[in-house]
Amino acid sequence: GENVEQHPSTLSVQEGDSAVIKCTYSDSASNYFPWYKQELGKGPQLIIDIRSNVGEKKDQRIAVTLNKTAKHFSLHITETQPEDSAVYFCAASTSGTYKYIFGTGTRLKVLA
Amino acid sequence: SQTIHQWPATLVQPVGSPLSLECTVEGTSNPNLYWYRQAAGRGLQLLFYSVGIGQISSEVPQNLSASRPQDRQFILSSKKLLLSDSGFYLCAWSPPGAGASGEQFFGPGTRLTVL
């Protein structure tokens, strides 16, 4: 079945630096790739997503890139701020399956 | 606007006791509904999903069950809890017909501790 690997599991950066989180997926039929941010004790919230017909998408300080050939996608956060500290999850899904396969998460710490 | 509610927020139960967690969605009709479990420091594991009333798909064999008695109500149950059932349980919904190609919206979660 579909598998999503996410790296690193923890990431510490200085405030103002960039953070990059990478995910790889196994099912070439996957066509939707959301990224979620989860703060302590809360449910995950979507921060950005990308579909397989697009190579890159940007929303202010957050961007996601997708390489369909290599089956990997990445989250880029620029000018990090302390409020970016959270656990980030990537996911992959295929139209019609109703299922997301989530990565294992990355705990990002932004040091002031 | 749509909102999703889960209760209780926290729950401490003894081993062998029953469980009932409830999730309701407001502001939409015929949503796809999901139950996930998140173990401490781990990712999200899909337990059940439903595309309509009375339709439940199970992803992982376990001592849990799910039911959808009403369009916007999703219930997670167990007859006898195990220690391994401890975790953070999340309910989510997505628009009807979107399959997995649309956003899933998560509830606030229920933290279950089985002692």
Side-chain angles (χ1 to χ4, degrees), chain A residues 36 38 51 89 93 98 100, chain B residues 34 38 59 100-104:
Chain A
Y36 283 83
Q38 185 178 27
R51 300 185 187 277
F89 290 97
S93 68
Y98 298 96
Y100 284 5
Chain B
Y34 310 82
Q38 186 176 26
E59 289 298 301
S101 60
E103 179 178 358
Q104 288 186 14

Side-chain angles (χ1 to χ4, degrees), chain A residues 31-32 36 38 41-46 49 51 87 89 93-105 107, chain B residues 32 34 36 38 41-44 46 49 51 59 88 90 97-109 111:
Chain A
N31 58 2
Y32 177 65
Y36 283 83
Q38 185 178 27
K42 298 183 178 180
Q45 289 200 316
L46 182 78
D49 57 9
R51 300 185 187 277
V87 179
F89 290 97
S93 68
T94 306
S95 294
T97 65
Y98 298 96
K99 294 188 292 184
Y100 284 5
I101 305 299
F102 280 89
T104 50
R107 182 173 299 278
Chain B
N32 302 319
Y34 310 82
Y36 289 87
Q38 186 176 26
R42 305 287 295 277
L44 286 79
L46 179 63
Y49 68 93
V51 300
E59 289 298 301
F88 193 45
L90 289 157
S101 60
E103 179 178 358
Q104 288 186 14
F105 301 86
F106 285 84
R111 172 115 10 234

Side-chain angles (χ1 to χ4, degrees), chain A residues 1-96:
Chain A
E2 170 75 285
N3 182 51
V4 176
E5 295 187 358
Q6 183 172 346
H7 300 282
S9 57
T10 60
L11 178 61
S12 293
V13 299
Q14 291 292 326
E15 183 178 358
D17 287 349
S18 296
V20 180
I21 303 171
K22 299 182 179 180
C23 289
T24 59
Y25 59 97
S26 60
D27 188 351
S28 57
S30 294
N31 58 2
Y32 177 65
F33 307 92
W35 284 90
Y36 283 83
K37 175 182 180 182
Q38 185 178 27
E39 297 180 343
L40 189 64
K42 298 183 178 180
Q45 289 200 316
L46 182 78
I47 55 172
I48 196 168
D49 57 9
I50 191 168
R51 300 185 187 277
S52 59
N53 58 347
V54 176
E56 183 175 2
K57 184 177 180 180
K58 190 174 182 179
D59 182 4
Q60 299 183 354
R61 297 187 296 109
I62 295 173
V64 57
T65 59
L66 171 65
N67 183 326
K68 288 190 296 181
T69 302
K71 291 191 282 189
H72 67 70
F73 55 112
S74 300
L75 177 70
H76 304 253
I77 306 175
T78 59
E79 301 173 15
T80 54
Q81 302 168 2
E83 53 265 37
D84 294 329
S85 296
V87 179
Y88 292 80
F89 290 97
C90 64
S93 68
T94 306
S95 294

